[in-house]
Amino acid sequence: MLSILEQLEKQDIISQADYYFAKLIANKQEPFNYPDKIKNLAILLAALCNYNYQQGHTCLVLEKNLLNRFFSVNSNSQSILSDIQEKIDHLAPDQWKQTLSDHIAFTSNPLEQLAPLVFQFDALYFYRAWQDEYCIAKYLFSAVNKQVNFNQEILNYSEIKVILDKYFPSLQSNKIDWQKVAATIAICQPFCLITGGPGTGKTTTVARILAILQSLHKLKYKDDSELRIKLVAPTGKAAARLTESITAQLNNIDKQIACTIPTQAETLHRLLGIRFYEEKTTYHDRNTLPIDILVVDEASMIDLSLMAKLLRALKPQTKLILLGDKDQLASVEAGAILGELGKFTVQGYTADLVDYIKQTTNQPVEIIDLGNPIQNCLCNLVESRRFHQQSKIGHLAKLVNSAQGKQSWKMIQDDSADIKSEIQLINFDSLVTDDLKEKEYQKYVEICVNTIVNNAAENYRTYLELIKEIEKNNVLLEEYHLKQIFDSFNKIRYLTALRIGELGSENLNQRITEKLQQLGLLNFKQHTDWFTGKPVMITQNNANVGLFNGDIGLYIISKNEVGESKGYFWFEKNDNNKQFKKYIPSRIPKHETAFAMTVHKAQGSEFNHAVLVLPTEPSAILSKELVYTGITRAKEQITIFANQLSWENAVSKKTERQSGLEYLLKNMLSIHKKDTD
């Protein structure tokens, strides 16, 4: 079996990590007298489990058709598939668990027996991944068990209603005010997930929720004590946006309450005390976070491991409020927690919660008893303030989200003025003749790349000319100069589906940099040089210097107070004052050029004008979630570089991540429901 895996590794079908983990299991089982088919099966499953985890799946589902697609090898490679099946004596996936029941590397009872690989729910896990998933399910099960007895554990309905009406005044409308409903859920539940697309008011809602919770706390205890609150997000950029949003919302709240609510958000890594070079955290189950309420924004970006670390660090009485868009891309690492929880989102609740909502808000929410108890902790906001009903970007996002490939392509091709005011399509196929595309495909791709590069160079010209003007005038770099430069740079950003390849972010960054040099807007000898105007994105958290994954800065050489020319990296501070902080280049953590970035890296950001670049042909990484996430980074304009083939392929494909969390929740919570009936 190892020789087959070695062959697959040489063909780049599997990674070196896949191969060497399988080899490790092979070495560990060598002293044991297992039959050949069991040895081969153990080696195969070790490689498969590692391969699947690297694709973002938390487990390997042992479904019947797995035999026909080992390592995504298709049926065209029938000889490899046949060789693998022969090595394991044609054992079907439903036989694997029993076959390996006595193997040293496998267990089906992970609570009592430790082993690197775990069989659970017709799936195979790494022990660590199973442990993390089980931790999350246990937390959610506990949250459901702790759901409030509405008649005893909170203030009376009339007191709650007065404060809710203060922060969410009743609307003269037949529509349900889901923001107000979300607030009622957050008041009474120990865990609350508020989902919704861009502009649906998630941070507006949570700012008011925090004000309500502080008000209720003061009313209940009638003293000067305050709830300890923390605001966090997965990246520095997302934390900056949360800071900005919360600060803006608190301007509309009573000063006496507003001053008790923090405005400064931080990264999850900083909150937990995670250093980039080690796994352990400062806060964990034996040293929990000293907070009463934790708000986590952009929760779709949080992977399985990080979410488990967070939940282990919470006190049992800490209230957790997650915010995010369940339809966005899942985390880069394994897991799709928000997406899985989003499957339980319904527009209704159990009878006791509906009664509480009606008495405190008068909202006519539907009773749905035939669900999962976790639904009482979830609320989906549906009305977008950013994308109004006539918004073309909003309409396009809905089409993409519902996997309408042909209809969405038809829309972005529309030349009508109202569409073009918000959406512009640059169709790769319109740049060349069909004959050239078929006969000289590489030339076709090069023309596509040049078109994007020229477009980017023109759009980035303005901020670079501002920098050159300051250099020319030989003046001190003042705060207002930096604000002008950053405002100009941040107006537009190029987002790519891929990192590697001719239309990937790495190549486009290099080509855009070279083009700007040709135009005389940049000056450097090597791409790695520090040159004035260079934009960088931090890719590694470093709390010691105060820079985090996703932070974007600009390198600017300017005159200082004593007349010397000095170069510094400037970053916007994570607050509403738009102040800036500077660093010498040697203090900057790991980073990359940021004229273009992947859609994954752009999560948690928004731009007046976003440019989405898809590859010229279908790719495994393309999905409707990726396109939806890219489109919804745009506030006012979206430009799309694509052809019909890549667009329809992406929009018609839904990301499916294999996981047992949904099964765990259904299993654990259905047992809970039976016990409480």
Side-chain angles (χ1 to χ4, degrees):
M1 183 62 74
L2 275 177
S3 61
I4 295 175
L5 295 178
E6 186 176 17
Q7 181 185 347
L8 292 174
E9 189 268 321
K10 287 178 180 177
Q11 295 173 16
D12 289 328
I13 293 173
I14 66 173
S15 68
Q16 284 189 342
D18 302 330
Y19 172 73
Y20 282 110
F21 181 65
K23 191 173 182 180
L24 173 68
I25 297 300
N27 292 337
K28 291 291 183 183
Q29 71 180 358
E30 197 57 43
F32 298 87
N33 192 27
Y34 298 125
D36 285 346
K37 70 176 180 181
I38 291 180
K39 287 182 178 180
N40 288 331
L41 181 61
I43 293 168
L44 171 66
L45 293 193
L48 272 173
C49 193
N50 199 75
Y51 174 86
N52 234 41
Y53 192 81
Q54 297 306 317
Q55 309 304 310
H57 307 292
T58 60
C59 63
L60 172 69
V61 176
L62 305 179
E63 51 194 352
K64 187 176 181 180
N65 66 356
L66 185 59
L67 290 172
N68 299 316
R69 53 174 183 81
F70 289 125
F71 308 107
S72 300
V73 174
N74 57 38
S75 55
N76 294 330
S77 304
Q78 197 61 48
S79 60
I80 293 177
L81 294 173
S82 297
D83 289 346
I84 291 174
Q85 290 179 31
E86 187 175 334
K87 289 286 185 183
I88 63 173
D89 199 22
H90 299 278
L91 287 167
D94 60 4
Q95 298 175 291
W96 293 350
K97 177 180 173 180
Q98 182 60 38
T99 303
L100 295 169
S101 59
D102 294 323
H103 195 284
I104 188 175
F106 296 81
T107 180
S108 56
N109 189 9
L111 291 173
E112 296 181 10
Q113 179 187 358
L114 293 179
L117 295 158
V118 174
F119 285 111
Q120 288 283 283
F121 328 121
D122 298 321
L124 179 67
Y125 288 83
F126 280 129
Y127 178 82
R128 180 65 177 275
W130 172 84
Q131 192 179 44
D132 288 342
E133 196 168 271
Y134 187 73
C135 166
I136 294 167
K138 262 181 67 179
Y139 170 85
L140 295 170
F141 177 68
S142 175
V144 167
N145 273 325
K146 286 190 290 188
Q147 286 183 13
V148 169
N149 179 327
F150 299 102
N151 295 318
Q152 296 175 6
E153 296 186 23
I154 56 178
L155 296 162
N156 68 60
Y157 290 169
S158 60
E159 290 175 308
I160 296 172
K161 187 176 188 308
V162 168
I163 294 176
L164 276 167
D165 286 343
K166 177 181 177 181
Y167 290 101
F168 294 93
S170 296
L171 303 174
Q172 299 300 316
S173 169
N174 293 326
K175 290 182 179 179
I176 295 174
D177 185 348
W178 288 108
Q179 290 185 332
K180 197 169 187 176
V181 171
T184 64
I185 292 170
I187 290 169
C188 69
Q189 304 291 35
F191 161 74
C192 176
L193 167 62
I194 302 173
T195 69
T200 49
K202 296 184 292 293
T203 50
T204 301
T205 303
V206 85
R208 296 178 189 176
I209 287 171
L210 295 176
I212 290 167
L213 290 170
Q214 284 286 25
S215 300
L216 290 173
H217 178 81
K218 289 182 176 294
L219 186 62
K220 184 174 182 179
Y221 293 101
K222 302 185 187 303
D223 58 23
D224 294 330
S225 66
E226 297 171 359
L227 293 166
R228 297 165 297 176
I229 302 169
K230 283 283 188 180
L231 309 172
V232 295
T235 66
K237 188 67 177 177
R241 280 198 58 215
L242 180 57
T243 295
E244 187 176 343
S245 299
I246 292 289
T247 304
Q249 291 304 319
L250 292 183
N251 291 331
N252 303 317
I253 290 172
D254 291 346
K255 288 184 180 179
Q256 189 178 1
I257 294 296
C259 69
T260 68
I261 299 170
T263 56
Q264 188 68 45
E266 59 186 313
T267 65
L268 267 170
H269 287 77
R270 187 169 193 176
L271 174 79
L272 296 172
I274 301 174
R275 298 182 183 276
F276 65 86
Y277 50 81
E278 57 187 28
E279 270 289 305
K280 65 181 182 180
T281 62
T282 302
Y283 292 99
H284 42 73
D285 54 358
R286 295 178 303 281
N287 181 34
T288 52
L289 289 160
I291 54 179
D292 300 307
I293 302 173
L294 179 64
V295 174
V296 185
D297 197 13
E298 297 293 348
S300 63
M301 299 169 68
I302 305 174
D303 61 70
L304 181 79
S305 176
L306 184 56
M307 182 63 82
K309 285 184 173 72
L310 173 65
L311 298 182
R312 289 187 184 106
L314 295 182
K315 293 179 181 293
Q317 64 271 29
T318 297
K319 186 185 290 288
L320 175 62
I321 303 174
L322 299 182
L323 309 176
D325 186 345
K326 62 183 177 62
D327 298 314
Q328 274 194 41
L329 275 169
S331 57
V332 176
E333 305 298 332
I337 299 157
L338 201 70
E340 292 205 67
L341 285 174
K343 294 175 183 177
F344 296 100
T345 303
V346 292
Q347 299 298 304
Y349 302 100
T350 55
D352 54 354
L353 182 54
V354 167
D355 179 62
Y356 160 71
I357 291 170
K358 285 183 177 178
Q359 291 198 51
T360 55
T361 68
N362 295 322
Q363 297 296 311
V365 180
E366 185 181 353
I367 295 174
I368 301 179
D369 273 323
L370 295 175
N372 191 292
I374 195 68
Q375 73 194 39
N376 279 355
C377 298
L378 315 178
C379 187
N380 186 40
L381 306 182
V382 293
E383 187 175 348
S384 176
R385 273 77 173 173
R386 187 202 295 182
F387 301 137
H388 51 80
Q389 284 192 330
Q390 285 73 44
S391 166
K392 304 308 175 187
I393 295 176
H395 182 55
L396 177 61
K398 287 179 182 176
L399 288 175
V400 169
N401 203 21
S402 55
Q404 300 292 317
K406 292 187 182 301
Q407 198 171 342
S408 58
W409 177 255
K410 184 179 179 181
M411 179 185 176
I412 62 177
Q413 278 191 307
D414 193 327
D415 283 327
S416 58
D418 60 334
I419 298 282
K420 291 302 175 190
S421 64
E422 295 184 44
I423 302 168
Q424 182 183 11
L425 169 67
I426 298 175
N427 185 349
F428 289 142
D429 290 351
S430 69
L431 302 175
V432 300
T433 62
D434 291 340
D435 191 53
L436 185 144
K437 180 183 175 182
E438 289 178 13
K439 294 181 178 178
E440 299 183 66
Y441 190 78
Q442 193 54 45
K443 189 173 181 180
Y444 163 67
V445 174
E446 182 62 21
I447 289 170
C448 296
V449 171
N450 283 334
T451 304
I452 296 164
V453 168
N454 292 336
N455 184 278
E458 198 55 39
N459 280 312
Y460 284 129
R461 173 186 291 275
T462 309
Y463 95 90
L464 292 169
E465 288 178 341
L466 283 171
I467 295 174
K468 282 195 166 292
E469 188 67 21
I470 293 166
E471 287 181 332
K472 179 181 174 183
N473 294 334
N474 197 29
V475 296
L476 285 173
L477 187 64
E478 302 285 357
E479 191 87 9
Y480 74 91
H481 290 134
L482 289 166
K483 187 177 185 312
Q484 286 180 327
I485 292 166
F486 272 84
D487 284 350
S488 176
F489 175 71
N490 287 330
K491 280 181 181 176
I492 190 167
R493 199 60 41 84
Y494 286 72
L495 313 177
T496 67
L498 308 176
R499 179 179 181 83
I500 308 298
E502 286 158 302
L503 290 172
S505 59
E506 290 184 358
N507 185 55
L508 287 180
N509 272 313
Q510 180 174 330
R511 294 287 296 271
I512 292 167
T513 303
E514 290 169 351
K515 182 66 179 181
L516 290 168
Q517 184 186 44
Q518 290 171 17
L519 295 172
L521 295 167
L522 294 177
N523 184 24
F524 59 89
K525 291 182 180 178
Q526 302 290 334
H527 291 96
T528 53
D529 292 347
W530 306 125
F531 49 85
T532 195
K534 182 175 186 176
V536 297
M537 178 172 57
I538 302 301
T539 59
Q540 186 179 69
N541 295 314
N542 192 322
N544 292 329
V545 298
L547 290 172
F548 301 91
N549 183 24
D551 287 346
I552 290 180
L554 294 171
Y555 185 72
I556 302 175
I557 300 172
S558 63
K559 179 182 173 183
N560 63 17
E561 290 81 356
V562 294
E564 298 174 327
S565 289
K566 289 278 187 180
Y568 295 97
F569 272 107
W570 292 89
F571 290 82
E572 291 177 283
K573 286 186 178 178
N574 292 348
D575 57 36
N576 237 14
N577 297 322
K578 292 292 184 185
Q579 294 175 320
F580 300 86
K581 49 188 177 182
K582 67 179 180 181
Y583 297 87
I584 58 174
S586 61
R587 296 204 71 201
I588 301 298
K590 191 176 178 183
H591 58 275
E592 57 192 35
T593 307
F595 287 117
M597 65 176 72
T598 62
V599 174
H600 267 290
K601 289 288 187 183
Q603 283 182 271
S605 301
E606 60 181 25
F607 310 98
N608 289 337
H609 185 179
V611 180
L612 177 62
V613 178
L614 297 188
T616 53
E617 55 188 356
S619 164
I621 204 168
L622 293 178
S623 67
K624 74 179 183 70
E625 290 85 0
L626 183 143
V627 176
Y628 170 83
T629 304
I631 290 168
T632 53
R633 298 312 89 205
K635 291 195 290 185
E636 297 172 6
Q637 279 186 289
I638 179 76
T639 297
I640 297 163
F641 285 87
N643 58 29
Q644 186 174 359
L645 180 64
S646 63
W647 177 270
E648 291 186 1
N649 171 264
V651 174
S652 63
K653 189 166 64 179
K654 186 182 188 308
T655 300
E656 294 288 351
R657 287 201 166 176
Q658 295 181 4
S659 161
L661 183 59
E662 183 183 357
Y663 179 91
L664 261 173
L665 289 175
K666 285 179 177 177
N667 186 49
M668 293 170 78
L669 295 177
S670 63
I671 292 170
H672 162 82
K673 191 171 188 296
K674 288 175 186 175
D675 291 343
T676 55
D677 282 346

